[in-house]
Amino acid sequence: MIYIIMGVSGCGKTSLGTFLSEKLGWPFYEGDNFHPQENIEKMARGEPLTDQDRFPWLLRLHEVIERERSSGSDALLACSALKRLYRQILLHGSTVVAPTSSASLPSSPEVFFLYLHGDYDLIHQRMVARQGHYMKADLLRSQFDILEPPSDEENVLTLDIRKSRSEMILEVEKHIESLKL
């Protein structure tokens, strides 16, 4: 099983992923570590990424997901996955961006999205307070502007970031147990 922890910058993807990894014993892949240097520099300058900037990054993350799926491993991956198209690329790779691709492809039964949901003001406060991250709080509005919250047919578990990390982890553990039934 693969969980893709998604949401806008500053919502707590890395923090939750790190704790879930320790609790479950699953590997955790921080999506930010797969960005090309040009993307990091662009964000550090306060420039929002375009779809063209994101596509190579999303395809690299798709490769990680496929590697874990084909080995039968459980894993966690943090990725903003702000648009439905991005989530489709994570699941299906370059077939999604091919010229003949028009319809949404089905969700993968062994891949789930954990959508960390929160409001702009709370997340902006968190981003202003954090240290040492290249993603500037000024870019948060651009992420909310393009955010397409996942729908139920996308295999999503929505987590309210106002809850404690322990409460969110408990919800994920319950989700995992429900899938084993």
Side-chain angles (χ1 to χ4, degrees):
M1 180 176 337
I2 312 273
Y3 278 110
I4 300 170
I5 305 166
M6 63 160 292
V8 298
S9 185
C11 68
K13 296 181 295 290
T14 301
S15 177
L16 183 65
T18 301
F19 279 90
L20 278 171
S21 176
E22 291 171 9
K23 179 101 172 143
L24 300 172
W26 295 5
F28 172 60
Y29 299 94
E30 170 50 72
D32 286 345
N33 295 338
F34 293 82
H35 268 297
Q37 188 61 34
E38 302 83 50
N39 286 7
I40 293 169
E41 291 169 3
K42 191 171 185 177
M43 289 183 281
R45 290 191 304 266
E47 298 174 36
L49 297 179
T50 65
D51 285 353
Q52 291 307 103
D53 295 325
R54 286 186 177 98
F55 288 156
W57 170 64
L58 292 166
L59 290 170
R60 288 176 77 188
L61 295 176
H62 167 73
E63 291 171 7
V64 171
I65 292 165
E66 283 305 298
R67 185 181 68 232
E68 292 297 327
R69 285 176 62 194
S70 58
S71 72
S73 298
D74 295 319
L76 301 154
L77 173 89
C79 174
S80 53
L82 297 174
K83 291 183 179 181
R84 182 176 179 88
L85 173 62
Y86 303 167
R87 296 187 290 275
Q88 291 280 298
I89 293 170
L90 289 170
L91 295 175
H92 303 288
S94 60
T95 59
V96 176
V97 291
T100 58
S101 171
S102 59
S104 290
L105 298 168
S107 296
S108 299
E110 66 279 354
V111 180
F112 292 87
F113 290 95
L114 297 177
Y115 172 42
L116 302 187
H117 178 265
D119 70 29
Y120 177 86
D121 291 333
L122 172 60
I123 296 172
H124 189 263
Q125 286 175 350
R126 288 181 177 187
M127 287 184 76
V128 169
R130 74 180 178 181
Q131 302 283 320
H133 196 281
Y134 57 80
M135 180 71 167
K136 306 295 182 220
D138 299 350
L139 290 176
L140 182 61
R141 177 54 57 202
S142 71
Q143 291 214 327
F144 269 92
D145 289 346
I146 68 166
L147 175 64
E148 297 171 2
S151 60
D152 290 339
E153 65 266 7
E154 291 184 81
N155 288 348
V156 64
L157 174 62
T158 300
L159 300 171
D160 184 340
I161 66 166
R162 292 173 299 179
K163 292 184 177 179
S164 72
R165 189 173 354 190
S166 299
E167 290 173 300
M168 289 190 287
I169 289 172
L170 186 59
E171 285 185 55
V172 174
E173 289 175 324
K174 285 180 183 177
H175 187 258
I176 292 169
E177 286 303 313
S178 73
L179 296 173
K180 292 179 181 177
L181 300 177

